[in-house]
Amino acid sequence: MAFHRLSTCAVALGEKGVALNEDTHSEILLHVNGVKHCLSVDNRTTLLDALRERVGHTGTKKGCDHGQCGACTVLCDGRRVVSCLMLAVAAEGAEVTTVEGLGGDGELLPIQQEFVRLDGFQCGYCTSGQICSAVGMLAEYAEGWPSAVTAPGSEPVLDAVEVRERMSGNLCRCGAYPSIVRAVLETAARGEVTG
Amino acid sequence: MSGAAPAVGVARPRVEGPAKVTGRARYAADVPMADLAFGIVVVSTVTRGRIRDIDVAAVQDMPGVLGVIDHRNAPRLNPDAGHFFGPDGGLQLLQDDVIPHAGRPVALVVAETLEQARAAAEALPVTYEVLPHDTDFSADHPAGRAAMALFDGPVDVGDVDRELAASAVVVRERYFTPEEHCSAMEPHSATAWWEGERLQAVDSNQGPFFIATVVATLFSLPLEQVRIRTEHVGGGFGSKGLCGPQLVLAVMGAMHFARPVRVTLSRNQVFLTTAMRPAIEQMVRIGADDDGRLRAIHHEAAFELSPLAEYIEGCTELTKTLYATPALRTRLTAVPLDILPPYSMRGPGAAPGSFALECAMDEVAERLGIDPLELRLRNEPTVGPASGLPFSTRNLVACLREGARRFGWASRDHRPRMRREGPLLVGTGLAATSFSVGAFPSTASITAEPDGTFTVVVNATDLGTGARTALTAIAADALAVGAEKVRLRISDSDFGPAWSAGGSRGTTSWAWAITEAAAKLRSSGDQGTVTVDTAQLLNDLPSRERHSYSAVFAEVTVDPATGEVRVRRLLGMFAVGRVVNPLMARSQVIGGMIGGLSMALHEEGVRDPVSGRHINADFAGYHISAHADVPDIEADFVPDYEPGIPMGIKGAGEIGNVGTPAAIANAVWHATGSRQRALPIRPDRVIEEHPLQ
Ligand code: FES
Ligand code: FES
């Protein structure tokens, strides 16, 4: 078997260095929640699987592995991405934020507080994705990005219709949607998205 | 006794809330495990046939591959293993070369990493001898036969034909609902390993004790040698009620490779290998007098199943109790086909059954020219129309009247196609419904700890229902202490027998055992440990008609040019007994209503008739309601109390789904003037050739 695993970075890497070894593994530096992880990954490893199986951050969930449900949403340099559709090797150099990295020191972010207070989840499986997506979405809105329901040529105004449209990539089979929308709007009303 | 304020009835956020919003809550696939190997399932691509060959040698030397388990080297399983309805051939995985349905697991490929296991599973050559299949469901299929009569058996009251002949109006219609998938967001995952003589597993399921009994039977192990745990479960909706293929195969992997093996189904495999609602065709005949009083209801339902396992889709259950009628006839037909064995999906029987019954009732109202609300009110029974038993509580009228008041029903023009907003047609509809409630035997134990706290152990499972939070409140009140004094432990088969989370009977069953244990502990002076089993108490419960009730009101817009239906308002009033936690209960019934909305407008498993396979077995092809499909939903509770069950509670897990599809379908009729008797109400079923001018 041509398989081997490197426990530490065997090759000195620059910030963005990628070293390819003979059995299609790459050594990468993954920045997750402010911590650098030096990993030797199978090139086929998705960012989602790298986070869950290699970094040990299982807060990010796999609902479909095909970019269809949003459960695996994380932030890459502040933008929301579905981590099942991104290869770990492609996340090199990006600052990845997962649900574990949102709050600080046991403090919940306003969005997390509102999810708890307003019961924005039931089983909780979609929740990490909903919350990361909401953080990314509120940043997009703050930058003036329109959505499909924004009247052409006008400034978007964040109401329930806008939130529903912008959050539609995040499925919730428990049907917590109305509470999620309320939690997002309450957070926006508090005016402090990221704490 | 301390003066702790009651916890039941108070709206409180979930106890596990902070863990769920920070990613700390662990689901089955999240549990860290040393020396873990990954198993990927390979499923059949043919619908009926035999395996000719599985070329293990072709993948054996791929990087990281530990090996392949198939029917030639898998451990032998006990064919007696099954569930509520009897032995389940669906559990007999990798036992022979027979392919009974598309998506049947044929091999487990195990490797060091996920990527390696997946690559080898994709590369594994499997060849089949293809045999002709039959997946073509219809009510008059020649293989149809009477369904098992374990419950919802046939009923004959009065003379249906004579009453129909004497009726002023008779509605006779057929209704169709397709295969639907539970689609919990967490794909089924199990990790199994041996600890000495004991088989251990962490699995996503709805009741670890029941699952442990199935695994013990299946692998011919004494029950004490099997321990199954779950912690957080990412939804179930019925699909995790059975011992899933992930667990059977993970156990085989742990046995074969003598190390921990994790098997997580892909989303596609969740569609192909875990419980779905069967396709159903129903016929309803209702006869009524001029004044709207019913003379007869005749309700027949046919559903598909698999020859591998019995199942009952009890569509006619609520027809036996919802309305007064001198004549009633119900029949259930099962049609065996070459499909995955169907099983309960949220609101089994009742959700499709209510769609047929409540749409037919709407048609009766239309034909008589009376208010559909009034039609329901005029047919309130005083005793169970089929059982003759008194109702334990019956608060349907309160739900209907209060719902109508809040919805503004009184101002509705009952004629169809009267409201227009630009290019859109607007309509409203309602449905009444019931869902049977009760409890099953469970055990619980409570220990009075030296520090004044109480450890409550009950084999409950929290699928997102809020069981942890609700049972903590119930235990606190039963012990007359504050909720902070209660430590609840759930979801470990070692905790002893308990009913699973299902049938809307989880909370009632567990709460019963907890309150009983608490009463015993208190009478012994809050000392030591008390363990109870409620089996006998449940036997002593007098026979009654026991149901939750609801009335659902919907407003839709229909664009006749595109056929798009959108739900603009949805309101549900519920009588679900005493409400343990209004915040969570509202979430639960609203979630159910969204499931009903999704059933009404979106969900449909589509099979290719040539191959017999599902062609839309993922979230891109099988749409479940997303944020943009769902309006703000109003749900509330009328005062209700179930006298037969401790704390007066019922169950609220499924009734939300029931009623919503009919309310929406009736609203679509009111908007357009066309009846929708097949779900989902797709654009092609609604679109009109000549758009509005
Ligand atoms: S798991 Fe990535 S979108 Fe579903
Ligand atoms: S909370 Fe269960 S899927 Fe969203």
Side-chain angles (χ1 to χ4, degrees), chain A residues 48 60-73 81-85 125 169-171, chain B residues 185 187 267 619:
Chain A
L48 172 60
T60 307
K61 303 302 181 208
K62 186 185 286 186
C64 70
D65 217 15
H66 279 63
Q68 299 167 348
C69 76
C72 64
T73 306
V81 300
V82 279
S83 60
C84 68
L85 288 192
Y125 199 78
N170 291 84
L171 297 176
Chain B
M185 289 307 296
R267 176 53 58 185
F619 282 142

Side-chain angles (χ1 to χ4, degrees), chain A residues 120-127 130 171-176, chain B residues 185 234-235:
Chain A
F121 54 89
Q122 292 175 44
C123 79
Y125 199 78
C126 71
T127 309
Q130 302 276 2
L171 297 176
C172 174
R173 185 52 153 173
C174 296
Chain B
M185 289 307 296

Side-chain angles (χ1 to χ4, degrees), chain B residues 60-397:
Chain B
Q60 186 66 60
D61 292 331
M62 286 176 71
V65 171
L66 296 171
V68 177
I69 305 177
D70 62 23
H71 60 287
R72 295 165 299 192
N73 61 348
R76 293 303 103 187
L77 300 174
N78 178 348
D80 295 338
H83 50 65
F84 193 68
F85 301 102
D88 181 359
L91 294 167
Q92 299 295 312
L93 301 178
L94 314 189
Q95 298 300 291
D96 54 33
D97 60 355
V98 177
I99 303 296
H101 62 83
R104 173 81 158 183
V106 297
L108 182 75
V109 178
V110 180
E112 297 285 350
T113 71
L114 260 181
E115 293 76 22
Q116 291 164 336
R118 196 158 41 220
E122 275 163 18
L124 183 71
V126 183
T127 49
Y128 303 92
E129 174 192 346
V130 180
L131 295 171
H133 65 261
D134 184 357
T135 56
D136 194 8
F137 169 71
S138 69
D140 48 15
H141 193 289
R145 43 104 177 151
M148 191 188 198
L150 188 58
F151 67 88
D152 200 16
V155 155
D156 285 287
V157 176
D159 187 334
V160 164
D161 293 314
R162 209 176 54 207
E163 294 292 338
L164 286 172
S167 294
V169 300
V170 175
V171 165
R172 182 189 197 286
E173 292 299 344
R174 303 187 84 83
Y175 298 87
F176 180 77
T177 53
E179 287 177 350
E180 293 158 8
H181 298 272
C182 295
S183 304
M185 289 307 296
E186 179 203 21
H188 301 52
S189 179
T191 306
W193 71 99
W194 290 88
E195 259 175 47
E197 290 291 282
R198 273 198 114 190
L199 174 67
Q200 304 265 349
V202 174
D203 178 52
S204 35
N205 65 60
Q206 297 180 207
F209 180 80
F210 167 70
I211 300 294
T213 65
V214 176
V215 169
T217 308
L218 205 51
F219 289 90
S220 304
L221 295 167
L223 184 57
E224 312 79 65
Q225 235 170 287
V226 178
R227 184 184 190 193
I228 311 285
R229 277 170 290 170
T230 61
E231 194 178 344
H232 295 286
V233 182
F237 314 113
S239 76
K240 291 171 183 165
L242 301 178
C243 176
Q246 77 286 355
L247 181 56
V248 178
L249 297 172
V251 170
M252 284 183 174
M255 286 176 157
H256 195 90
F257 299 102
R259 61 188 275 193
V261 173
R262 176 167 297 163
V263 176
T264 305
L265 301 180
S266 69
R267 176 53 58 185
N268 176 256
Q269 290 170 350
V270 172
F271 276 90
L272 299 180
T273 68
T274 72
M276 63 171 182
R277 200 196 301 281
I280 303 159
E281 200 176 323
Q282 303 179 69
M283 189 283 301
V284 180
R285 287 198 294 169
I286 302 180
D289 282 338
D290 271 337
D291 64 357
R293 243 164 273 277
L294 302 187
R295 295 191 76 120
I297 306 179
H298 177 192
H299 186 175
E300 296 195 0
F303 59 92
E304 56 177 7
L305 51 49
S306 154
L308 295 176
E310 269 302 340
Y311 174 64
I312 300 164
E313 183 77 22
C315 296
T316 60
E317 228 188 336
L318 87 171
T319 307
K320 296 171 187 171
T321 186
L322 203 50
Y323 299 115
T325 177
L328 180 62
R329 183 190 302 160
T330 72
R331 294 289 182 275
L332 277 187
T333 299
V335 178
L337 295 172
D338 301 317
I339 57 167
L340 170 82
Y343 196 67
S344 305
M345 174 169 164
R346 200 173 187 183
S354 122
F355 166 63
L357 178 67
E358 286 299 283
C359 285
M361 284 293 281
D362 211 57
E363 299 204 37
V364 172
E366 176 195 351
R367 297 274 294 277
L368 290 169
I370 66 175
D371 178 353
L373 175 70
E374 193 51 38
L375 178 67
R376 269 81 176 182
L377 297 174
R378 277 185 207 169
N379 289 286
E380 266 289 292
T382 49
V383 295
S387 67
L389 292 170
F391 288 92
S392 156
T393 55
R394 188 178 161 100
N395 279 317
L396 176 60
V397 169

Side-chain angles (χ1 to χ4, degrees), chain B residues 399 549-552 572-576 589-590 593 635-639 655-656:
Chain B
C399 291
Y549 293 92
S550 81
V552 182
M573 287 304 300
F574 294 86
V576 293
V589 295
I590 286 176
M593 290 164 78
D636 211 345
F637 304 95
V638 300
I655 191 162

Side-chain angles (χ1 to χ4, degrees), chain B residues 613-668:
Chain B
R613 293 194 303 241
H614 280 288
I615 58 169
N616 61 337
D618 63 27
F619 282 142
Y622 184 93
H623 183 64
I624 60 173
S625 289
H627 273 287
D629 299 310
V630 178
D632 198 20
I633 294 178
E634 191 180 345
D636 211 345
F637 304 95
V638 300
D640 195 34
Y641 189 91
E642 167 51 54
I645 298 178
M647 302 258 170
I649 58 177
K650 291 181 176 174
E654 300 174 279
I655 191 162
N657 291 54
V658 186
T660 306
I664 291 172
N666 292 337
V668 172

